[in-house]
Amino acid sequence: MERVARAALFAVLPAELVLAVLLVSGVSLPLPVVAVAEVVVVAVLVLEAVTAYRLFGAARQAGADRWTAVRAAYERLVPEQVRRIVGFDLKGVISLALWVARRRHGVPDGATAVSYSRAQTLTMVIFLGAMVVELVGAEVLLRAFGATAGLRAVVLVADAYAVLIVLAVIAACVTRPHVVSGDEVRIRYGAFFDLRVPRERIARVRHVRNYNESGTVKVDGDRLAVAVASQTNLILELTEPVTAVRPLGSRAEVRTIRLFADDPTAALAVLRPRRPHAHGNGPVESAAGVEVD
């Protein structure tokens, strides 16, 4: 039943969205088609509600509290890829609020934030400006051709949502930097990627510039690249692999990580592996393991 409910949900929702767009745009559809479509949608919603309630009840019987049971039902019913996409949008909206408030996410006291957004921000702002011009131009053209108010509203909402997404990506990359603390290195790319690497697993840090990275988050064997504007300039080599979760949920064990920092020299200093030495009153940091190529 769970599989049937999931399949029905993701088969009917796109069809219902298309139907709604057509109706709002002023397209005349036969009444029987609309009636059948609505009956199917109601039936699917009832199926989803019953399935969600059963999953919730099963989690409660297993000893979970209400919130945990709700979350368990949601995770069982909705595929991970869809959950992650929804999470990107939510994190993007939160990032916009943080950007306006001039705050950063996930940078605790005593940790060092390593920014990486500078190389792409100008390009993205130019792209954003082009999208705003396109939004205005589409409205002017649709009015000139006598398009219905419904169709113009659909196009306006779609274009405005695209502008919001680009703004959210810019904000997320600014407010969610890499973070280096005493225990771990947190490597991020906006709302899309987040990897925590224990400091004790970092064997070597190198400053190597690469300008031809393909993709933003890419795994090749046991090598991970988290690029910005097709660039990386730091390499972390690990003593043990860590599990990297890519944006849509696929997992890989990686031992070498390439990433980008706006100021690689400063980042190299804070990423320096810690080697204890019997010197003075306690351990000190050693520059061993750091290379600049």
Side-chain angles (χ1 to χ4, degrees):
M1 185 174 181
E2 181 182 332
R3 290 183 178 180
V4 173
R6 181 184 293 183
L9 178 64
F10 292 101
V12 169
L13 280 182
E16 177 68 8
L17 179 60
V18 171
L19 181 63
V21 169
L22 291 174
L23 291 174
V24 170
S25 301
V27 177
S28 179
L29 297 174
L31 184 59
V33 172
V34 177
V36 170
E38 293 308 313
V39 169
V40 171
V41 169
V42 170
V44 170
L45 290 177
V46 171
L47 175 62
E48 301 303 322
V50 171
T51 305
Y53 182 76
R54 289 184 175 181
L55 293 172
F56 173 81
R60 288 287 286 167
Q61 289 179 358
D65 58 40
R66 288 182 180 275
W67 173 246
T68 303
V70 169
R71 184 171 181 176
Y74 171 69
E75 291 179 351
R76 291 277 300 273
L77 194 58
V78 181
E80 182 182 10
Q81 292 87 345
V82 177
R83 298 198 309 269
R84 294 183 73 87
I85 291 171
V86 172
F88 297 155
D89 287 348
L90 179 60
K91 291 176 182 177
V93 172
I94 294 172
S95 297
L96 282 170
L98 292 173
W99 197 22
V100 171
R102 297 181 178 273
R103 297 178 60 187
R104 293 176 298 190
H105 174 274
V107 184
D109 293 339
T112 302
V114 178
S115 66
Y116 55 83
S117 61
R118 195 183 307 156
Q120 68 179 14
T121 299
L122 178 59
T123 301
M124 296 191 74
V125 168
I126 293 172
F127 180 58
L128 182 65
M131 293 179 67
V132 172
V133 171
E134 188 271 338
L135 184 152
V136 175
E139 174 65 14
V140 171
L141 287 175
L142 287 172
R143 282 180 177 273
F145 285 108
T148 63
L151 178 59
R152 297 204 314 273
V154 169
V155 174
L156 179 63
V157 168
D159 284 347
Y161 179 72
V163 169
L164 180 65
I165 290 298
V166 174
L167 272 173
V169 171
I170 295 173
C173 289
V174 171
T175 61
R176 296 170 184 264
H178 304 313
V179 181
V180 181
S181 65
D183 299 325
E184 66 179 12
V185 176
R186 192 173 181 182
I187 300 168
R188 302 195 281 189
Y189 183 82
F192 303 103
F193 184 76
D194 192 344
L195 173 64
R196 297 172 184 266
V197 181
R199 289 288 295 267
E200 62 268 17
R201 294 195 187 184
I202 300 176
R204 191 181 183 195
V205 185
R206 293 189 289 150
H207 178 195
V208 181
R209 294 186 180 275
N210 188 353
Y211 296 96
N212 60 351
E213 297 285 357
S214 59
T216 301
V217 179
K218 184 176 180 180
V219 175
D220 182 10
D222 64 352
R223 298 185 296 273
L224 165 70
V226 184
V228 176
S230 301
Q231 302 177 53
T232 56
N233 53 23
L234 291 171
I235 297 179
L236 306 185
E237 296 179 3
L238 310 181
T239 58
E240 300 177 38
V242 295
T243 302
V245 182
R246 299 177 69 182
L248 291 182
S250 62
R251 288 160 171 79
E253 299 293 314
V254 298
R255 297 186 66 122
T256 302
I257 303 171
R258 302 194 302 275
L259 65 149
F260 180 84
D262 289 333
D263 187 345
T265 302
L268 198 65
V270 296
L271 284 168
R272 180 178 297 124
R274 296 186 172 185
R275 303 291 179 83
H277 291 276
H279 183 297
N281 295 324
V284 297
E285 278 192 354
S286 166
V290 178
E291 291 186 6
V292 180
D293 295 348

